[in-house]
Amino acid sequence: MELSVYKIDGSESGKKVTLDERIFGIEPNDHAIYLDVKQYLANQRQGTSKTKDRSEVAYSTKKMGRQKGGGGARHGSIKAGIYVGGGNIHGPEPRCYRKKLNKKLKQLARFSALSYKAQEGVITLVENFAMDAPKTKEFIGILNSLKANGRKVLFVLPENSDNIFLSSRNLPEVNVITVDEINTYAIMNANSLVMVDGVQEIIASRIK
């Protein structure tokens, strides 16, 4: 698949890039994508939700009433879950939600996601550029010129650029990441993918 490299003003630079078929032209594996997205979302969870059970509630330990003869059920503690202020029954406990996937499977998932975007024709290549200062308005202008100002844009840089990142930070529909941070969830969650020229070569160089 061959793509033109655009300048930040939206005009073609004259350079053509052929995307690696091993990355952007494979038969997508939906199950690999599912597993990788599931792992990514699970790993975002803190797992710190916690409630107190009857053994942890600070309350009186005095028996509510005599064992027999009260005309009702037997109650031994006001800390029981049926009382207001009592302990929580079967409440959440701190736990780890992290999952592990093999590197080969994660790589297959990423390449499958990139292949989907290539099939949809939503990948745009832009020549390498720099911003002298954080300017959100200027960055919006670049997206408009590249016709990538729709919903959910993933902007991939070859290396970190504070000015570009800060320029996009106030745009909720734009996600700027480096090639080191690219993941299946970010790719699948975007409607359009903008890559700075050179990113595709870095990804290709890391095929194992």
Side-chain angles (χ1 to χ4, degrees):
M1 181 178 182
E2 190 175 72
L3 293 179
S4 298
V5 178
Y6 291 88
K7 298 180 180 179
I8 58 175
D9 61 3
S11 61
E12 292 191 17
S13 66
K15 181 179 179 181
K16 301 282 186 178
V17 170
T18 301
L19 298 180
D20 196 325
E21 291 294 319
R22 298 174 299 169
I23 302 171
F24 298 91
I26 68 171
E27 180 67 30
N29 188 313
D30 292 340
H31 190 60
I33 293 175
Y34 161 74
L35 291 175
D36 200 12
V37 170
K38 183 178 179 181
Q39 185 215 28
Y40 177 85
L41 294 176
N43 290 354
Q44 306 307 303
R45 301 184 67 175
Q46 288 185 326
T48 55
S49 56
K50 171 75 170 69
T51 58
K52 292 184 178 181
D53 60 29
R54 62 184 296 170
S55 69
E56 298 170 311
V57 173
Y59 236 144
S60 172
T61 58
K62 182 180 179 181
K63 188 173 173 61
M64 301 289 293
R66 57 184 181 173
Q67 180 75 357
K68 300 175 70 174
R74 297 165 292 178
H75 297 292
S77 172
I78 198 174
K79 296 191 291 185
I82 63 173
Y83 290 111
V84 175
N88 191 281
I89 302 172
H90 303 305
E93 295 285 339
R95 55 169 291 189
C96 179
Y97 289 93
R98 295 191 67 83
K99 299 179 183 295
K100 181 184 181 301
L101 287 180
N102 293 332
K103 291 181 180 179
K104 287 284 188 180
L105 180 60
K106 292 179 68 67
Q107 178 177 271
L108 174 61
R110 284 194 303 273
F111 292 174
S112 296
L114 290 170
S115 294
Y116 265 129
K117 296 305 176 185
Q119 291 174 10
E120 295 167 7
V122 294
I123 299 178
T124 303
L125 290 178
V126 60
E127 64 180 7
N128 205 345
F129 69 98
M131 297 182 68
D132 298 329
K135 295 287 185 181
T136 301
K137 187 174 182 179
E138 181 181 338
F139 189 75
I140 292 175
I142 293 174
L143 293 178
N144 290 337
S145 299
L146 297 173
K147 298 179 181 179
N149 56 337
R151 293 175 56 251
K152 294 185 179 180
V153 179
L154 179 63
F155 207 100
V156 187
L157 304 172
E159 58 186 14
N160 186 47
S161 173
D162 290 338
N163 288 337
I164 296 178
F165 173 76
L166 293 173
S167 298
S168 66
R169 188 170 57 175
N170 201 35
L171 303 175
E173 297 295 330
V174 179
N175 182 20
V176 175
I177 61 176
T178 65
V179 67
D180 295 329
E181 300 168 319
I182 197 168
N183 60 80
T184 305
Y185 176 79
I187 298 168
M188 295 302 296
N189 192 45
N191 295 108
S192 59
L193 176 61
V194 179
M195 297 191 305
V196 174
D197 185 26
V199 166
Q200 74 279 0
E201 297 172 358
I202 296 175
I203 296 175
S205 68
R206 296 176 179 176
I207 295 179
K208 296 181 180 179

